[in-house]
Amino acid sequence: MAGIKQNIDLPPLRLGPRLECLLSLLPAVTGRLIDIGCDHALLPIAALERGMVGSALAVDVRSRPLDRAHANIIARGLEQGIGTVLSDGFDEIDLQPGDTAVIAGIGATVIVDILRRARESGKLFPGFFLLLQPTRSTAALRMYLTPEWEIVAEKFFFQGGRLYNFLSTTYRGCSEDNSTTHNDNITEFPDISVDIYSYIAKRKPSPASLYSVWMGECNLRDRGIAPDLWRRYLRHQLSAAREFMLGAPSKQKETWRELCRILEEEIK
Ligand SMILES: C[S@@+](CC[C@H](N)C(=O)[O-])C[C@H]1O[C@@H](n2cnc3c(N)ncnc32)[C@H](O)[C@@H]1O
């Protein structure tokens, strides 16, 4: 916050558990934090006020949320530290080495669209850290991210009966070989979120790899840390898998049935 005069008369910003969790997963950096889909811009404001980042960009595709963000930034006296940009994803942003980014509270379809365009425009660089909190279709997003993005850590919690997933990722870059694979993923990633699970089934994952993408490899690795929470997660994911099994076309039913069997076995 060197050189930035924050409004010291204001009490510290109070955030809800979801935004606090996002903050806790951000690496402390001296560079910029880019908040794509910032809405109120509470995340970059808190990150800057807590000295976690050198500066920030609050980005939104719609002008009304961006005006709200701007008003909040001014109210906190942070206009020297946080810029606002009207942009669809990273379209109007020139990413610089040292930048980190967050995309939170947005569905996987839009996230993938944002990442696809950032990738095609050559903006992404190896080591680029991106924190994601998709509102839906997390399993399909995990599948899309691999192998060009590494999911380095995951976290989840329940609030008001709802599951929130958080994915810390870094961009690995694309080689000649895997760019083809990834392009296939991109063109097939569906526009309508309800079709996202047929995207998974189309890849014909083995039951073990479907289980891995459904639960998240990092979550599986950490499952012993909080056994009660893990059981709740298992039950939640089983119930979601059952729903997809019921709604799936007959060719795909067996994939979901097998996943349900694995989850039922683990819950026993
Ligand atoms: C539900 S709010 C989430 C706000 C904040 N990120 C959070 O987690 O609390 C979603 C915001 O993302 C913005 N948004 C949706 N698609 C976007 C895109 N392609 N590029 C930038 N912003 C986008 C919306 O305008 C909205 O303000």
Side-chain angles (χ1 to χ4, degrees):
M1 288 265 298
I4 299 170
K5 277 201 205 118
Q6 98 185 81
N7 187 344
I8 52 169
D9 297 333
L10 293 171
L13 204 57
R14 285 166 66 97
L15 302 178
R18 187 182 59 85
L19 290 176
E20 278 296 348
C21 184
L22 283 166
L23 270 185
S24 75
L25 297 171
L26 281 177
V29 290
T30 49
R32 293 187 303 180
L33 170 67
I34 298 167
D35 184 7
I36 300 287
C38 64
D39 197 354
H40 35 64
L42 294 181
L43 194 72
I45 288 173
L48 199 68
E49 287 187 346
R50 296 181 195 186
M52 296 173 63
V53 294
S55 62
L57 275 187
V59 179
D60 210 286
V61 73
R62 294 185 299 131
S63 55
R64 195 174 282 204
L66 205 63
D67 290 346
R68 190 160 48 227
H70 192 59
N72 285 340
I73 291 162
I74 289 184
R76 304 295 296 186
L78 293 175
E79 57 273 33
Q80 285 171 294
I82 309 178
T84 53
V85 183
L86 188 67
S87 172
D88 188 345
F90 293 100
D91 288 2
E92 307 301 324
I93 314 289
D94 282 325
L95 284 179
Q96 300 162 9
D99 284 346
T100 60
V102 56
I103 308 179
I106 295 184
T109 309
V110 175
I111 293 177
V112 167
D113 194 45
I114 290 172
L115 297 186
R116 176 182 55 78
R117 277 181 286 114
R119 177 187 188 274
E120 279 169 4
S121 62
K123 290 185 175 174
L124 303 174
F125 55 86
F128 174 55
F129 178 91
L130 174 64
L131 178 58
L132 297 169
Q133 185 250 311
T135 48
R136 50 166 71 203
S137 313
T138 306
L141 181 61
R142 287 189 191 104
M143 203 169 231
Y144 167 82
L145 289 169
T146 311
E148 283 188 15
W149 293 84
E150 182 182 6
I151 303 174
V152 289
E154 283 208 41
K155 202 165 172 175
F156 64 87
F157 67 75
F158 291 89
Q159 195 191 7
R162 212 178 134 182
L163 171 68
Y164 292 87
N165 287 100
F166 304 82
L167 283 69
S168 300
T169 69
T170 52
Y171 189 63
R172 283 190 169 121
C174 57
S175 68
E176 283 288 300
D177 286 352
N178 73 21
S179 66
T180 315
T181 320
H182 211 255
N183 270 330
D184 288 347
N185 284 357
I186 288 160
T187 48
E188 288 180 23
F189 205 87
D191 289 333
I192 304 161
S193 52
V194 88
D195 283 342
I196 267 177
Y197 294 90
S198 65
Y199 163 85
I200 292 178
K202 261 195 226 158
R203 267 157 190 80
K204 300 188 174 50
S206 66
S209 68
L210 180 58
Y211 170 69
S212 143
V213 93
W214 195 250
M215 303 305 284
E217 266 304 310
C218 297
N219 291 329
L220 286 165
R221 185 191 62 204
D222 297 339
R223 70 178 131 192
I225 294 173
D228 289 346
L229 182 62
W230 181 253
R231 285 188 71 74
R232 185 168 181 193
Y233 184 49
L234 275 172
R235 286 197 298 272
H236 180 280
Q237 294 302 86
L238 172 59
S239 147
R242 279 183 179 145
E243 257 181 54
F244 278 98
M245 184 180 70
L246 290 176
S250 51
K251 272 199 289 188
Q252 296 170 12
K253 273 206 193 314
E254 193 43 41
T255 313
W256 299 104
R257 191 169 293 125
E258 190 52 38
L259 176 63
C260 291
R261 271 189 222 117
I262 296 174
L263 294 169
E264 281 157 1
E265 221 18 68
E266 190 170 347
I267 287 172
K268 267 186 198 162

